[in-house]
Structures are given as C-alpha cells and as structure tokens.
Amino acid sequence: MLSAFARAFKTPDLRKKLLFTLGIMVLFRMGAHIPVPGVDFKAVNTCVKQSNSGLFGLVNLFSGGALLQLTIFALGIMPYITASIILQLLTVVIPRLEALKKEGQAGTTKITQYTRYLTIALAILQGTGIVATASNGALFSSCSVGNQVVPDTSVFRIATMVITMTAGTTVIMWLGELITDRGIGNGMSILIFTSIASGFPGNLWSIKKAGKIGGGWFDFFAVLAVGVVVVVLVIFVEQAQRRIPVQYAKRMIGRRAFGGTSTYIPLKVNQAGVIPVIFASSLLYIPALVAQLTNSKAGWAVWVQNNFTKGDHPAYMIAYFVLIVFFAFFYVAISFNPEEVADNMKKYGGFIPGIRAGRPTAEYLNYVLTRITWPGSLYLGLIALIPMIGLVALNASTTIPFGGTSILIIVGVGLETVKQIESQLQQRNYEGFLR
C-alpha cells in the first residue's frame, strides 16, 4: 500500500489528484471545528468533557466529533448515508426507481439527484431535532451547564442554526463530489474515512490516561495489539469471496463464432458490507431517544436509560448481535436477486457447469449465498461487539477505536482507494506488447 502511494506521488497527474484530495480533507476537518451561530462554545466544551456520546454515538462518529460540539458540519455525512440507504431500499419496492436503475448512466444520475433532495430534507429534520434537543438541555442531560448550550431559544435563532447545519451538509456533499470528479477514490467514502480516523488519536490517548497498569501504557499497547489483529481479520474476510464459475456457449453469427468464454460470479462473504451494523445501531438508538425526549419516569423508560444507553449491558449486546445478523440477511436478500442473475445468464447463453439454466441456477445461487452469508453475518456481529467488550474489560469511559463500524469502514475505504490508485498506475505505466 505504501509503495502504491509512493509511486503515485512520482506521477505528476496522480500527485495533483492526491494533493487535491488531501486539501479537501483538511478543509472538511476545519469546518468540523467552526461552531454554529448561537451556541455557547465554552458550555459545549464543558459538557463534552463531562458526558459520553452513547446515545448519539453513531452520528457523532460519522461527523468526526462535530455533532456534540455543535459545529457547522455537525450532521456530517449521515443524512446522505441515510438517504442513499432509503433510495436503495425503495428501488426494490417502487417500480419507477427500479426502471431508472436499469436505464444505465442516465437513470443513475436521476437517482443521485433524488438522493440529494432527500439528503437536504433529512438534514432539515435531523438539524431541527439536534437543535431542539440541545436547546432544552437533553443533548447533555448529565452536564451541569447543559441548559446553557443554546442561550437564545428564539424562533429566529433556532431557524438560523438549522439552516446553517443543513447548509453544512450540502457543502459536505459538494466536497465529496469534488473528490470523486477531480481526486482519488469515492468522495463520500473518503470523507467518512476522514471523520472516523480523526477520532483515533484522542480515543487512544484517553485509554492511556484511564489505564491503571504501567501508567496506562499497558492498556494503550494492548488496545493497539487488538487493533492490529482486528484489522488483519477484517482485511482477510473483506477480501474473501466464493467464485461461481460461469461458462458461455459458442454462438455462430454468420461465419464468425462468438462466446465460448469462461468467467465467474464473485460472491463476497460479507456481501452486505457495513450496512447491517448501521441499521442495527440506528434501530437500537430509537428506544433510548424516545425515553430521553419524553423524559418519562415509567419502568420501561428507566430500564432503557440504564441498559440501552451506553451499550455495556448484556441485553443490549445480545439484541445488537441478533439485529446485525438479521439485517445482514435482509440486505443481501434485497441487494442480490438470484432470479435476475439467472435470467441474464440464460439470455446470453451462460450456465454454471453441472447446473441447468433457469430456475435451478437461481436456486443454486440462493443456496450458496445463504451459506456464505451466515459466516459473514456472524463476523459482522463479533466485530461490532469488540468495542463494547473492550469497554467492559477495561472499565473505560471512552470509545474503543479499533472495532465495530469504524474499523469496517476504514479498512473498506482504504482497500478500495488503494485498488483505484494501483489501477490508475497500471494504466499510465502499461507499455503494451510492442515497444
């Protein structure tokens, strides 16, 4: 990987793309530290030091810590991720979106436009919820000055804060598209990578300060060692795939023969990616959010506040694991259609050796996909539980950085970016058969 980056910096046009991408990343991180107008920055800093981000941890993770600091990029890229997932799910349900998806580049452009509109709508809703939560003190419920975070709660001031956060999300979308067009890699993925990676040094140092063995250095290096093992495991599983061989029969058109080639269908062990973890986390935040906003003192609300806020309770871990496994199968079922793949193979004269074309091929693909989804879903659940188990084992008050959603996204984005750099290097250095 390091050699690929070194060779890329020696190539003039790739060096410009890499420097442009790094510049956008720096600009993105600068925006994550500019507070929204109307926020008492001193009170926010005090509350961030006193409270944990258990309830809003997922959004705070994708915003690089900007959410709890109430900056102009507080919502981060989360509205865009949510909008993309919603559009992808609706594509299976709404025939119009399914038809657009099959139209190629023109249909993809239209769906992207719908995603942008939905992102702005979700940003307005989420911004309104965050500002309302901060203004009534519920965002930092355990902080002594939580009610002073937003001193002015007038309609004009609240509207200004919501508009500013929504504009920040729009700027993030624009920055991501700039990276995609003029930089290296997928822009949105690079920005997510930047947000998550920015919290690693602070979390590691917090673990060192909270450690009790050897001045905290034992805990520090133990977490680093676990992190290396987790990264190796994630890379191994993310690269693992089951290749289904496909043979295409020869076809005679005039006096020329076409086809007769051999290829394969790559089925990844983790076909769903990080989506099941995001779904499960979001669903488990709903009970705690309802209990906090309603400020109920009922038995269910007290139980939720005690067991479903920080995530270190066995009931929360079991529910989290089961939901990840469920959503892994659910997402694979809606994203990969064996019947459609079998019909396309039959249309172009393709078949799996030993399997009849048509329905038997679809049943075989469904059987293989189900078998490899089981280890993939269990792997996702175990990786997601690592930071929670670490919190209990180390008795830490901060987040364990190497595990869960963060490491899955960082490794996935890193692998894809390196592949793109290597492919572009290969195109520029390819000499062909003749010299």
Side-chain angles (χ1 to χ4, degrees):
M1 184 178 71
L2 295 178
S3 62
F5 277 101
R7 286 185 290 126
F9 270 102
K10 295 179 182 179
T11 308
D13 54 339
L14 282 182
R15 182 169 62 246
K16 291 180 181 178
K17 289 186 176 183
L18 285 172
L19 292 176
F20 179 81
T21 303
L22 290 174
I24 295 295
M25 292 167 65
V26 171
L27 186 64
F28 174 64
R29 288 307 302 160
M30 288 175 60
H33 291 85
I34 302 175
V36 172
V39 172
D40 188 342
F41 194 62
K42 293 182 179 179
V44 170
N45 283 337
T46 302
C47 290
V48 168
K49 294 177 181 178
Q50 291 184 6
S51 31
N52 62 76
S53 59
L55 181 57
F56 301 97
L58 185 66
V59 185
N60 196 52
L61 174 69
F62 284 107
S63 65
L67 170 66
L68 294 183
Q69 294 181 353
L70 295 176
T71 66
I72 59 174
F73 288 171
L75 299 179
I77 203 68
M78 196 63 183
Y80 183 85
I81 297 174
T82 308
S84 301
I85 294 173
I86 291 175
L87 262 296
Q88 194 169 4
L89 295 176
L90 291 179
T91 302
V92 185
V93 180
I94 302 177
R96 170 61 179 165
L97 293 177
E98 187 175 2
L100 284 175
K101 186 179 180 181
K102 295 179 179 179
E103 288 181 4
Q105 184 62 36
T108 303
T109 304
K110 199 70 176 177
I111 292 177
T112 302
Q113 194 68 19
Y114 292 156
T115 305
R116 293 171 184 162
Y117 294 148
L118 184 58
T119 299
I120 295 175
L122 290 175
I124 294 174
L125 290 176
Q126 292 183 16
T128 304
I130 294 299
V131 172
T133 307
S135 60
N136 61 22
L139 183 63
F140 301 104
S141 56
S142 59
C143 179
S144 57
V145 292
N147 295 325
Q148 305 174 16
V149 169
V150 183
D152 185 4
T153 57
S154 62
V155 176
F156 176 78
R157 179 63 65 185
I158 297 297
T160 302
M161 295 175 66
V162 172
I163 292 173
T164 304
M165 288 184 179
T166 305
T169 300
T170 308
V171 171
I172 292 174
M173 275 198 303
W174 177 62
L175 293 177
E177 292 178 359
L178 282 179
I179 293 177
T180 304
D181 295 338
R182 301 173 56 183
I184 292 290
N186 182 278
M188 298 302 175
S189 300
I190 293 294
L191 294 182
I192 296 172
F193 175 92
T194 305
S195 299
I196 297 175
S198 64
F200 272 30
N203 288 334
L204 283 173
W205 191 246
S206 298
I207 290 174
K208 188 267 175 190
K209 291 194 298 183
K212 300 178 181 179
I213 304 177
W217 288 110
F218 176 82
D219 305 77
F220 180 83
F221 287 110
V223 170
L224 276 182
V226 172
V228 172
V229 174
V230 171
V231 168
V232 172
L233 173 64
V234 170
I235 293 175
F236 178 77
V237 179
E238 291 296 321
Q239 297 289 85
Q241 58 182 224
R242 168 73 182 274
R243 296 181 175 182
I244 307 296
V246 178
Q247 181 73 35
Y248 285 92
K250 288 186 178 181
R251 294 180 297 170
M252 295 297 297
I253 301 179
R255 295 183 178 181
R256 302 183 63 181
F258 293 89
T261 59
S262 298
T263 183
Y264 60 87
I265 302 175
L267 297 179
K268 296 181 63 177
V269 173
N270 182 21
Q271 190 83 2
V274 75
I275 301 299
V277 181
I278 297 176
F279 278 8
S281 301
S282 303
L283 193 62
L284 285 178
Y285 282 142
I286 294 177
L289 184 62
V290 171
Q292 189 179 64
L293 294 179
T294 56
N295 200 20
S296 175
K297 301 299 181 183
W300 68 269
V302 174
W303 187 86
V304 167
Q305 289 283 2
N306 293 334
N307 303 322
F308 267 61
T309 300
K310 190 177 178 182
D312 56 352
H313 194 273
Y316 183 94
M317 294 184 184
I318 294 173
Y320 193 36
F321 185 84
V322 172
L323 284 175
I324 289 175
V325 173
F326 168 77
F327 281 121
F329 279 92
F330 173 75
Y331 188 78
V332 169
I334 66 172
S335 61
F336 186 89
N337 190 348
E339 287 79 9
E340 183 179 353
V341 175
D343 290 342
N344 290 334
M345 288 172 53
K346 186 177 181 180
K347 185 186 301 182
Y348 295 103
F351 62 93
I352 300 174
I355 307 295
R356 293 180 59 185
R359 186 172 181 82
T361 298
E363 292 176 351
Y364 176 76
L365 290 175
N366 187 51
Y367 168 74
V368 173
L369 193 64
T370 302
R371 290 192 64 185
I372 66 174
T373 302
W374 269 114
S377 61
L378 296 177
Y379 143 81
L380 278 178
L382 291 175
I383 292 295
L385 287 180
I386 286 177
M388 301 178 184
I389 297 174
L391 284 173
V392 177
L394 298 177
N395 195 21
S397 59
T398 184
T399 308
I400 303 298
F402 297 105
T405 314
S406 58
I407 202 66
L408 289 170
I409 293 176
I410 283 185
V411 172
V413 174
L415 289 174
E416 289 300 321
T417 305
V418 171
K419 287 180 182 178
Q420 288 198 22
I421 292 176
E422 289 179 344
S423 65
Q424 295 198 28
L425 284 171
Q426 187 177 10
Q427 291 176 2
R428 286 160 176 78
N429 297 327
Y430 181 67
E431 297 179 355
F433 297 104
L434 301 177
R435 298 186 180 181

